[in-house]
Amino acid sequence: EVQLQASGGGLVQAGESLRLSCAASGFTFDVYTMGWFRQAPGKELEGVACLFSDGDTLWYADSVKPRFTMSRDNSKNMAYLQMNVLKPEDTAIYYCVAGCRSDRGRYDYRGQGTLVTVSS
């Protein structure tokens, strides 16, 4: 069974930082692209970042460059999203995904999200 467990969300003030983590299991982690998507209240799901299996960047959303940095540790089956200089518009549920594509709209697996709330 594929599991993608995101954690690290919380309530922060604008300008602060958060680091999200994703623990993956149930599939061959080091052959999949890994990414993060988010969904703000009342808005559609949006791709945030996606990395190749070797950690190279496939894409970042323009709205998070250069504030967010995604990384992965294939030895631990973990993915991370370092979010700096957070803005109220970053408030969303953040989801870890596996198998993100270059078209930024599709993925193979998605886990339960973690809520990030940024106050102004």
Side-chain angles (χ1 to χ4, degrees):
E1 178 188 3
V2 172
Q3 292 193 346
L4 295 165
Q5 183 62 54
S7 61
L11 172 63
V12 297
Q13 292 188 333
E16 295 184 339
S17 299
L18 274 177
R19 187 190 193 211
L20 305 184
S21 298
C22 172
S25 62
F27 63 102
T28 309
F29 183 84
D30 60 4
V31 302
Y32 272 80
T33 58
M34 292 296 297
W36 290 91
F37 278 63
R38 68 184 181 184
Q39 188 163 27
K43 296 190 176 181
E44 294 186 351
L45 195 64
E46 172 192 25
V48 175
C50 181
L51 299 185
F52 285 107
S53 58
D54 63 359
D56 284 349
T57 298
L58 182 52
W59 49 261
Y60 280 93
D62 289 341
S63 59
V64 305
K65 295 179 189 176
R67 301 179 297 120
F68 290 12
T69 302
M70 183 180 174
S71 60
R72 61 187 293 166
D73 186 338
N74 288 348
S75 70
K76 297 180 179 179
N77 286 11
M78 294 289 295
Y80 307 95
L81 184 68
Q82 178 66 43
M83 306 185 294
N84 297 329
V85 195
L86 282 160
K87 303 176 181 180
E89 52 263 44
D90 295 317
T91 294
I93 300 173
Y94 284 72
Y95 299 94
C96 176
V97 305
C100 39
R101 313 281 208 278
S102 58
D103 64 7
R104 310 192 181 199
R106 295 180 297 152
Y107 46 81
D108 292 330
Y109 306 109
R110 190 184 83 183
Q112 291 185 330
T114 186
L115 177 62
V116 173
T117 304
V118 184
S119 64
S120 57

